[in-house]
Each structure stands twice: as structure tokens, then as C-alpha cells.
Amino acid sequence: MVDIPSSSSRVLQLRGPQHLFDRLFRSATLFFGLFILLLLGGVAVSLVVGSSAAFSKFGLPFLWTDIWNPATERFGALVPIYGTLMTSLIAMVVGIPLSFGVAVFITELCPPVLKRPLSIAIELLAGIPSIIYGIWGLFVFAPFLQAYVQPFLIATLGHIPGLGVLFAGPPFGIGILTAGLILAIMVLPFISSIMRDVFETVPPMLRESAYGLGCTTWEVIWRVVLPYTKVGVVGGIMLGLGRAMGETMAVTFVIGNAHQIRTSLLAPGTTISSALANEFTEATTPVYTSSLITLGLILFFITFIVLAAAKYMLIRMQRQAGG
Amino acid sequence: MAKDLARYARRQRKNWIVLGLSLCATGVGLFFLGAILYALLVEGIAAIRPSLFTEMTPAPGSDGGLLNALFGSAVMTIVGTVVGTPIGVLVGTYVAEYSRGNKLGQAIQFINDVLLSAPSIIVGLFIYQLMVVPMGHFSGWAGSMTLAILVIPVVTRTTVDMLALVPNALREAAAALGTPKWRITVSVCYRAARQGMLTGIMLAVARISGETAPLLFTVLSNQFWSTDMNRPIASLPVVISNFALSPYPDWQRLAWGGALLITLAILCLNITARSLASFGSIKQ
């Protein structure tokens, strides 16, 4: 921004109401700017305060206790943490290659006419609210998986020693795997649109020189574009990861909400956000409520770190491209 | 030579395979978009009838509509947008016009970007602690404030981006005429960035009108007609969620109808916002 002489400048002394307006306006913007910082601080403080009851009762072992029993008021966070990490992991394993493919297609292969409509179509996936994915997942996707995909997985992968335990048990339809797959669809537009953006920051000269050496399109992507955009790509992936961990309604609908850890991916489980969505209004005792808020604090902590790291990487990427 | 040719063929093959896979990936993405829209249309249209817009949410087994939920959603979305938008615009103005890239401005932008993708359920917990617990009951106001907090980062982000596109020459020209800084910002910069900022607001509205999780424990829901924002109030996403998870076919049908309505509204908002942005007045 240029330094436009403001009210404090000696050259242009503003008098009267203008001077006052100027200061008022500036203060208002500054006030709400600080308010944003306060907001994040406020969220953190409120969660810490809310979690104190559970924390004083269970202490640090809360983090790795796998009991969740409202009747006896024994609570531990291990099962929801496991569910959150597991569903996000599936989402990443499935979602990253898909997003990469979409980004490559849009930046390298797509005819220019199709580029915009295609980008918009993929980004519309991101605009569909979580609850719609939930209801679609419950009534369409999960029955489909139960009828066709899961029996196939059990019949084929289920018999491989070692790997088999991941695909054991009856096909419920709902469960960790279903939730992970829906999350993969949900993070696809986020990750692919960031990948597309960072791919487009690669200077044309770099690509052209690689093509000039006789590289195939794939070699240009793998050896030139990806190394150049590494930081931004990782940032985009982490942004997607942050989203996946925080998604609530879609997961709540299809995960089955069982406080248990099973090795099988087909078994129902729970995540931090789905436990909150499901149980918060049913929590009758202060310790129960406080335990749920503690789960929220853990989620806040994990996603904050992931999102901040993602943001940091994307900012670095922008600077690199700008400088 | 033969070896070179074979190697060339191998490289070409690899290239085509990978590019083919990327085409498939795009196909998968579009397929799911299509599959979701198809299911919504097929299941939702069956539920769309006049009573959907004129009657209240029913008890299981009886006929009804979604009028109270539509009303509640509209009111809370409007209040959330009206509260959140000016704050977002002012924050964006500070970052783009006043901070001049200083540490505070950078910090605000960084935190804002983190808030932009933060899980909305966390915001719900925050408002629960801040408003629901002290007031002693769930309320429409608490829901509106949750939505307002979700609006702020979206609006801030687009405001910053759009103000950054306003050419400095415009600001300088206005300043040369003796225009005070606040007037430059309001009458020149906002005007030049108007379309982009409007896009941001529409995207924010699109985002909050489908929000469910944070409303579950800030507003709860309400089976009846209620205009009292101080009380629990029905909202479309929460009703969809409750009805879809119920065992009653009538309720599930209404949930699909609501889901279709909400998705169409959001897709329209998104598409309008994007075309506004692309036909925007600012050209670099």
C-alpha cells in the first residue's frame, strides 16, 4: 500500500469532522482486527475452562483411556481420537491421489474451453454442505458399499494374512471405512483447487525448457512442477487434512457411533466431532458435558496446529512465487 | 537405436497411463457430484409439494411441511450475515488498507485464515459456553452468533483479496483531490472492489445456510412455529438431520425435500457468486 497522507500528516491537515471520522474509522478497523485475535483466544479459553471439570477428575490419562461410559461416569478420549485419525487417514490415502489427478487434468490436459466449467463443477462439490453428504451417505452410499463393495473387499482382501484384519467382519455399510471415503470426496475439491493454484505458479519458462529437452507431460509434472511446488502441495494436503478431521455431520451419519476400537475398517466407530454432535445435548451430568468439551479442546488443538502449518506453508509458497 | 526407441516408447506409455489416470480421477470427482445431485433430485422432488412451504414440521405419521424450519433458518442466516459482514469488512479493511503489511496485520490475516477452515463444531462449543450456559437455555440468538462468527473469516478474506486488487492510482488520485482517507476507502476502494466483496458475502451466506453441527447445541430445534429468538427455534439443517436419522418414512421424505431445497439454494448462491467474481469490474 502506498503511504497516503493521513490525518496526522503535516502537509494535509484535516480539520473538523473529517479528522474525527478518519480516526474513528481507523480505530474501528483496528478494533475488529484485534477482535479476530481475541476471538481465537476466547475459543481456546472457553474450551479450557469447560474442560477443567473432566481434567481434574481424570487427569492426563483421559487422553489414552478407551472407556466411555456415561452410566459410571468414566470417560476417556482414546476411541474418538483413534476414529478421527483413522477416518482422516483413509480420506488422505484415497483423496490425495484423486485430488492430484484432478489438478493435473485441469492444469495440463484440459482443453481451455472446459477449464472453467470443470473447475467450477469440482468446486461445487466443496459448496455442498456437510449434512447433504451425510444424508446421501446414509441412504445411498452406505447401502451401496454394503451391497457391493464391502462383500467384495471381505472376499478378496479379507483373506490376505495381515491385511485381512482390516477387512474382517460383516458388511455393515456404515463404519470407519465409509466415513473415510465420504471424507475423501469432501476434501477432494479443497486439495485439488490448491494444487491447481500452486501448479500455476510454476514459471512457464521452466516448463518450456523441460519440454524443450524432450520430456513427456508426466515427466514435466513429476520432475519440474512437483519439486517446484512441493511446499505448496504439502500445505494444500494439510489444509485438506484439517478439514477432514473437523468434518462433523457427514461423519456422524455414517460412522455408526460406537465407542469401540476394532481393527476392522468395516466396523462402526466414532470421531471427536461426531461424538460431540451426537451426545452433547444428551449429556446430563457436568462431568459428561465437560468430557465432551475436553474432546472439543483436543480437536481444536490438533486442527489448529495442522491448519496453521498448512497456512504457513502456503504463505511460504506465495512468497517464493512472488519473489 | 532400438534400445532408445524402446525407452522412448516406455516413457510415452507411462505418460499416457498417468494422464489417463488423471482423467479417471476427474471423472470420479464429477461422478460423485452427479450422484449426489441425482439422488437429491430423485428423492427430493417426490417431497416437494405446496404443504412443504405452508405447514409446520409434523409429528411422526402425520402430514406436514417445513415452514417453521425455513423461517428459522432464514432469520438466523440473515441475523448472522448482518452481524458478521460489517465486522469482516472492517477487519479486511484494516489488513488491506491500514496495516501496510505490519506484524499485526500479518498476524490477523494468519489467524483469520486459520479460523476460515476451523471446524464449525468448535465455534458451536464456544458459543455454548459463552451464551447458552450463562443464559440457561438454547436460543435463536446463540445460533445467529455462531453463524456470524463463521461469516467473519470468509468476508475478511475476500475483502483483503479484493482491496489488494484496487489500483493504487485510484487511491492516489482521490488523495490528490484532498479526500480524507476514510472517504477514499469507503467511496473509492469499496466501490472498486464492490463486486468481489459481494461475492464474498454470498459465499459466506452459502456456507452458513447449510451449517448444522454448531446449531445442534446452540439453538436445538423446535417442533412448532416460533418467532421468539430467545428460545429454541427450528432450522432447516437441524430438522434435516433429526428427520433423516429417524425411523419414520414421512420424516425421511421431508428430510430429502429439505436437503434438495438447501442444496439448490446453495448451488445458486455459489454459481452466482462465482460468475460475479469472474465478470468483476477489476481487471489487472
Side-chain angles (χ1 to χ4, degrees):
Chain A
M1 287 308 110
V2 278
D3 200 347
I4 294 166
S6 65
S7 51
S8 59
S9 160
R10 268 185 222 166
V11 188
L12 191 73
Q13 275 286 0
L14 289 167
R15 302 246 172 246
Q18 293 297 349
H19 177 75
L20 188 67
F21 275 144
D22 239 10
R23 287 186 48 180
L24 272 178
F25 191 70
R26 196 197 141 85
S27 314
T29 63
L30 179 63
F31 174 80
F32 285 108
L34 293 172
F35 173 75
I36 288 286
L37 301 182
L38 252 172
L39 194 63
L40 192 81
V43 172
V45 168
S46 81
L47 290 177
V48 169
V49 169
S51 65
S52 60
F55 212 72
S56 60
K57 184 165 179 200
F58 305 117
L60 219 49
F62 181 81
L63 289 175
W64 55 83
T65 307
D66 65 347
I67 302 167
W68 191 269
N69 192 340
T72 58
E73 294 214 321
R74 299 290 307 167
F75 298 104
L78 187 66
V79 182
I81 291 177
Y82 168 81
T84 302
L85 296 181
M86 206 60 199
T87 49
S88 312
L89 181 71
I90 297 172
M92 290 299 111
V93 168
V94 178
I96 292 171
L98 277 181
S99 316
F100 179 67
V102 172
V104 166
F105 184 80
I106 289 178
T107 49
E108 312 285 333
L109 290 176
C110 185
V113 200
L114 279 181
K115 218 171 190 170
R116 262 192 64 77
L118 201 63
S119 311
I120 290 182
I122 293 287
E123 274 166 34
L124 285 185
L125 264 180
I128 297 175
S130 184
I131 178 96
I132 305 298
Y133 281 92
I135 172 170
W136 177 78
L138 182 66
F139 290 115
V140 181
F141 195 52
F144 169 77
L145 287 178
Q146 182 177 24
Y148 302 105
V149 179
Q150 292 185 351
F152 171 77
L153 287 176
I154 295 166
T156 50
L157 297 177
H159 295 304
I160 301 171
L163 195 66
V165 293
L166 291 179
F167 300 99
F172 288 111
I174 54 175
I176 300 258
L177 180 69
T178 313
L181 291 179
I182 286 203
L183 286 177
I185 304 170
M186 295 180 80
V187 297
L188 184 145
F190 294 113
I191 304 183
S192 65
S193 76
I194 291 169
M195 280 185 178
R196 187 196 61 203
D197 289 347
V198 299
F199 284 174
E200 274 167 4
T201 64
V202 177
M205 226 192 293
L206 274 183
R207 285 163 192 270
E208 282 159 15
S209 49
Y211 279 119
L213 289 174
C215 288
T216 61
T217 309
W218 169 243
E219 283 162 351
V220 173
I221 296 164
W222 191 248
R223 306 243 171 102
V224 178
V225 174
L226 259 189
Y228 186 86
T229 55
K230 199 168 45 193
V231 184
V233 168
V234 175
I237 289 172
M238 292 185 76
L239 199 60
L241 178 64
R243 293 258 179 182
M245 293 195 299
E247 269 305 333
T248 310
M249 294 318 290
V251 173
T252 307
F253 271 60
V254 298
I255 199 164
N257 303 296
H259 276 281
Q260 56 175 12
I261 296 182
R262 295 275 173 80
T263 48
S264 173
L265 297 180
L266 307 181
T270 190
T271 68
I272 293 178
S273 49
S274 69
L276 278 168
N278 250 315
E279 299 173 39
F280 203 81
T281 44
E282 290 168 10
T284 40
T285 62
V287 176
Y288 194 176
T289 306
S290 175
S291 299
L292 284 167
I293 294 177
T294 312
L295 286 184
L297 178 66
I298 297 168
L299 179 68
F300 176 74
F301 186 72
I302 306 174
T303 49
F304 180 79
I305 290 184
V306 171
L307 292 173
K311 211 51 229 168
Y312 173 73
M313 285 175 167
L314 289 170
I315 288 173
R316 245 181 68 186
M317 183 69 208
Q318 266 171 5
R319 285 207 189 114
Q320 181 196 0
Chain B
M1 271 312 271
K3 216 163 91 183
D4 281 354
L5 274 179
R7 200 166 129 187
Y8 177 70
R10 203 168 59 236
R11 284 172 54 206
Q12 285 293 337
R13 227 173 15 246
K14 195 170 174 189
N15 188 37
W16 289 120
I17 290 172
V18 175
L19 297 184
L21 285 177
S22 90
L23 178 66
C24 293
T26 314
V28 169
L30 292 178
F31 169 78
F32 280 114
L33 180 65
I36 292 170
L37 294 181
Y38 174 78
L40 275 172
L41 277 177
V42 170
E43 303 275 349
I45 281 181
I48 303 268
R49 51 178 79 165
S51 65
L52 198 67
F53 305 98
T54 56
E55 288 174 26
M56 305 305 146
T57 46
S62 55
D63 256 358
L66 295 168
L67 182 61
N68 51 344
L70 287 165
F71 174 79
S73 266
V75 171
M76 284 193 290
T77 306
I78 291 169
V79 174
T81 314
V82 167
V83 174
T85 304
I87 299 178
V89 168
L90 285 174
V91 177
T93 308
Y94 177 75
V95 173
E97 300 287 324
Y98 289 104
S99 75
R100 294 196 188 101
N102 67 12
K103 282 271 182 322
L104 180 63
Q106 284 177 9
I108 292 170
Q109 200 174 4
F110 188 82
I111 294 301
N112 186 69
D113 282 348
V114 172
L115 279 176
L116 188 64
S117 350
S120 56
I121 197 159
I122 298 289
V123 176
L125 277 182
F126 171 59
I127 293 291
Y128 174 83
Q129 301 264 57
L130 199 70
M131 290 179 74
V132 179
V133 174
M135 288 164 81
H137 54 80
F138 303 100
S139 71
W141 290 122
S144 304
M145 288 311 112
T146 314
L147 298 182
I149 293 181
L150 295 169
V151 165
I152 296 171
V154 186
V155 175
T156 299
R157 184 66 218 241
T158 38
T159 306
V160 172
D161 289 350
M162 289 304 137
L163 286 178
L165 288 178
V166 176
N168 263 328
L170 276 183
R171 295 190 183 88
E172 284 158 7
L177 293 172
T179 319
K181 172 99 187 177
W182 76 270
R183 275 282 341 214
I184 299 178
T185 309
V186 174
S187 307
V188 179
C189 298
Y190 284 176
R191 184 171 280 232
R194 194 173 44 193
Q195 240 153 345
M197 287 161 70
L198 199 61
T199 304
I201 296 169
M202 291 175 82
L203 290 177
V205 174
R207 178 173 175 196
I208 60 170
S209 44
E211 273 301 343
T212 317
L215 299 185
L216 289 174
F217 41 80
T218 50
V219 221
L220 214 60
S221 192
N222 194 332
Q223 194 87 36
F224 306 103
W225 177 258
S226 166
T227 53
D228 186 359
M229 287 285 277
N230 227 346
R231 296 275 141 206
I233 190 168
S235 66
L236 204 44
V238 176
V239 168
I240 293 174
S241 156
N242 291 340
F243 281 16
L245 288 172
S246 77
Y248 313 110
D250 287 351
W251 276 17
Q252 291 178 356
R253 198 169 41 87
L254 278 178
W256 276 108
L260 178 64
L261 288 183
I262 231 171
T263 311
L264 287 182
I266 287 170
L267 289 186
C268 285
L269 273 171
N270 265 314
I271 292 173
T272 321
R274 277 172 215 284
S275 29
L276 255 184
S278 64
F279 299 121
S281 56
I282 301 165
K283 293 261 156 56
Q284 272 205 304

